[in-house]
Amino acid sequence: MGLLAAWKGSGLKVRVLALVLAALVAVALPASGVFLWIVNGTVVKLGTLFAEKQILFDRFRGLEALMREVSLAETVARAPVIVEWAQDESDPEKAKRGLAELEHYRLSFTDRSYFVVLDRTGNYYFNDRDNNYEHARLRYTVSPDDPKDAWYFKTRALGSGCHLNVNRDEALGVTKVWINCIIRKDGKVLGLIGTGVDLTQFIKEVVEFPQTGVQSMFVDLQGAIQAHRDPRVVDFHSLTKDISAKKTIFRLLDVEDDRKALAEMMQQVSKGEPLVLSRFMQMDGREVLVGVGFLDRLGWFNVTVMDVDAIIDRKLFTPIALLMAAILLAAATLMTLLFKRKVLDRLARVEQGVSRVRAGDFGANACEDGNDEIARLARAFNEMALAVGDNTGRLEAMVRERTEKLELLAQYDPLTSILNRRGFDHAFAREQNRARRDGRPNGLMIVDLDRFKDVNDEYGHYAGDEVILACVQRMSSVLRSYDACARWGGDEFILLVSGCDEASLAAVAAKLAACLREAPVRLGDGRSVAVTASIGAALVGPEEGLSEAAARADAALYQAKRKGRDDFVLDEPQSGTALRRVGRV
């Protein structure tokens, strides 16, 4: 009753002021809540976007660091001389060729080292960057009864592919990320071959990349930590441990529900869709954003732990909140209209900007003129959105660049820079489609350098590489720009001549042989090597596949060699298996 009487007895100014203050409080409370919700939502969304792009960045950064070594190791494991040696280790000639091939590739590995275990005997061969074991490359014999050798037998049991393992080899006294590629033929495991990447250098280049509030690590399929800036949490010898004894990423999480959620995220990204998943989790008593991606070629997950508050400082929004409160107080007399117009409407535009950022538009989404609190908030938001957009653009450019490099690596021969078998498959299919449209057949030739093994034996493998490069240059000079030349084997090449007939194909074969024969190849040390080649050629039918056409050209090549080499033979597809010798070139 006393308050009611005082209210009735007060002046109009007091009443208006009281009503305005009450309305201000009633409006300011929900408005401040909306502001905080937008700020928090913006911080969380930008942090999540940053986390996902960071995972993709780490994903391809990790691939760049190891993919070259994995690709080289896979190439060695598929090399015919290595497979032959693994099948018959006791043959001195095969052993000599196999070890020579390993030495050839050793210089291409970053670590300049290799190892190979042949399954029949268990013999372990090794050589390092200083070639210290040139005369003693057989180091020891692995045994299933020796715990130190368990890594080999567990990797062998996987049956195929390349597998990474952080391990310490007690016999050799080195700790590395070992790349283990299985040698196999016709479904049978013949052994294991690979190389090592120094763990310290790997961590320095990939894991310790300096970024505020970001910590990257790599874990295997069971969550065992394989690379981390703190070596105390790395799970060495993972292949030989039970899961209960492994140092896993799950032990770093505080809450059991987070451990289950992380395991589910790893399972989903390992299937390829989506590429990246992220979620807030508790780690060391703090809430962090954990992102997960999968390196399918390596069998590892890259996990990025991000402190969102360290990346996006929430204190930056404090002056904006204070200024907003000042504006509300100053505009108390026009609170209803001005509050809606100057605050809620403008905040709605900021929220629309957040929605556009969420949709992937990182341009200046929240456009506000002036220099008040909301305008500065909008500019701060725009700056953050543009920063995330720039980072996204750089990451996407890096992804495209890495993809292009991987495509080149997959389709081109690393020595000669011409097409490999896979690249030639694509070129053949393309030209066959054109031939069916135009009605002009393609010609296929297989060129085999005569007695090339003698060149390697007499002059060495590096000289052999020089001869191969020179022959590629000569053959390329004969072909047209739209013809295809690929490396078919060690000293064999396969050529596709577009839109030709029997006469023009024979003319190209003769010109190729003459070009290869016309002058000896001059080596870098001043010596010269005479080169001749045997050529088998065949016109390709419109519906004929590469394997059938190559078989006919190979048969023609065999006939050319039987006739004394330095010759070419053209297959006649209409006469069954008969071959016609076009002429000695």
Side-chain angles (χ1 to χ4, degrees), residues 13 25 31 59 80 93-94 152 219 234 269 332 359 369 416 424-425 488 494 513 530 539 553 557:
K13 182 177 181 180
V25 171
R59 182 175 190 266
E93 186 62 26
K94 292 180 180 178
Y152 169 72
V219 305
V234 176
V269 298
D369 297 326
T416 61
F424 189 79
D425 284 342
W488 197 240
I494 188 166
L539 285 176
L557 172 65

Side-chain angles (χ1 to χ4, degrees), residues 151 155 163-167 176-180 226 235-240 300:
W151 64 272
T155 303
H163 309 274
L164 273 67
N165 183 37
V166 179
N167 202 350
K176 295 181 178 180
V177 176
W178 292 102
I179 300 171
N180 307 316
Q226 301 296 296
D235 188 63
F236 296 107
H237 307 280
S238 289
L239 281 177
T240 60
W300 281 4

Side-chain angles (χ1 to χ4, degrees), residues 104 415-416 452 456 460-470 487:
H104 177 69
L415 174 64
T416 61
F452 184 74
N456 282 333
H461 286 278
Y462 289 108
D465 290 347
E466 291 185 61
V467 171
I468 285 177
L469 287 170
R487 193 172 183 186

